[in-house]
Amino acid sequence: MSQKVSKVFQQSGVIPYRVQDGKIEVLLITTRNYQRWVVPKGGISNGMSPPNSAAKEAWEEAGIVGQVDTHELGSYKYRKRGKSYQVKMYLLPVQEVSEDYPEVGQRQRQWLDVNKAIKRVKLTSLKRILRQCLKNKSRLSVLTYYSN
């Protein structure tokens, strides 16, 4: 008997962060229906690398700009409307925050301490990636320093 192989759609996303008063803050955004707090992510655009596509999503969904760290943090999987997705995650030290961006009327955004962000996010696998960020505070500080 043959087993149906389900396609896993590839996506990429970012953990947007900044250092404010010596503390690391992460930017979370809501889903379009405002039901959950998430990070910017989406399908990998044709002809783009996963980090570049993640940067594009960060602009469209959150109005943020920065140089995405090309070192993959990890990945997580989720299901939505019967489809499976795998998201490759990257760090994004935020350099600019715009008040005018493509999805400004469809989402909310909020800067949070990493621990508060972990509590607010529902997906366990995304919480795990955020915890990794917390463990790598020194790396985040170095990335922030070199991106400014």
Side-chain angles (χ1 to χ4, degrees), residues 6-20:
S6 62
K7 182 175 180 182
V8 177
F9 295 91
Q10 298 298 311
Q11 295 187 321
S12 61
V14 295
I15 305 275
Y17 74 94
R18 68 182 181 188
V19 177
Q20 198 78 355

Side-chain angles (χ1 to χ4, degrees), residues 5-145:
V5 177
S6 62
K7 182 175 180 182
V8 177
F9 295 91
Q10 298 298 311
Q11 295 187 321
S12 61
V14 295
I15 305 275
Y17 74 94
R18 68 182 181 188
V19 177
Q20 198 78 355
D21 299 324
K23 294 183 179 170
I24 297 167
E25 294 181 332
V26 173
L27 182 71
L28 294 183
I29 60 172
T30 58
T31 55
R32 282 200 183 121
N33 58 14
Y34 298 100
Q35 289 188 337
R36 288 186 333 277
W37 288 93
V38 295
V39 293
K41 63 163 178 50
I44 299 171
S45 299
N46 286 337
M48 291 184 91
S49 69
N52 287 343
S53 190
K56 179 175 144 301
E57 293 295 330
W59 165 250
E60 292 173 357
E61 295 181 358
I64 52 177
V65 178
Q67 185 63 49
V68 175
D69 178 14
T70 57
H71 174 78
E72 185 181 324
L73 268 181
S75 65
Y76 70 94
K77 291 181 181 178
Y78 73 97
R79 292 184 62 79
K80 182 178 174 182
R81 296 188 192 110
K83 294 180 181 174
S84 295
Y85 298 86
Q86 179 167 8
V87 186
K88 292 180 178 183
M89 295 300 299
Y90 302 89
L91 285 171
L92 173 65
V94 176
Q95 294 167 317
E96 290 179 44
V97 180
S98 178
E99 296 305 316
D100 184 25
Y101 53 98
E103 297 184 17
V104 67
Q106 301 171 42
R107 300 174 186 274
Q108 293 176 344
R109 61 185 181 184
Q110 187 173 14
W111 287 103
L112 296 164
D113 166 83
V114 180
N115 286 313
K116 287 180 182 169
I118 290 167
K119 288 176 185 164
R120 191 156 301 175
V121 167
K122 297 285 183 245
L123 276 174
T124 305
S125 49
L126 184 51
K127 285 178 183 281
R128 176 183 45 81
I129 292 171
L130 283 166
R131 278 191 199 98
Q132 280 179 297
C133 288
L134 198 55
K135 289 178 186 171
N136 293 327
K137 277 186 178 179
S138 59
R139 183 165 179 256
L140 291 180
S141 297
V142 168
L143 283 172
T144 303
Y145 176 78

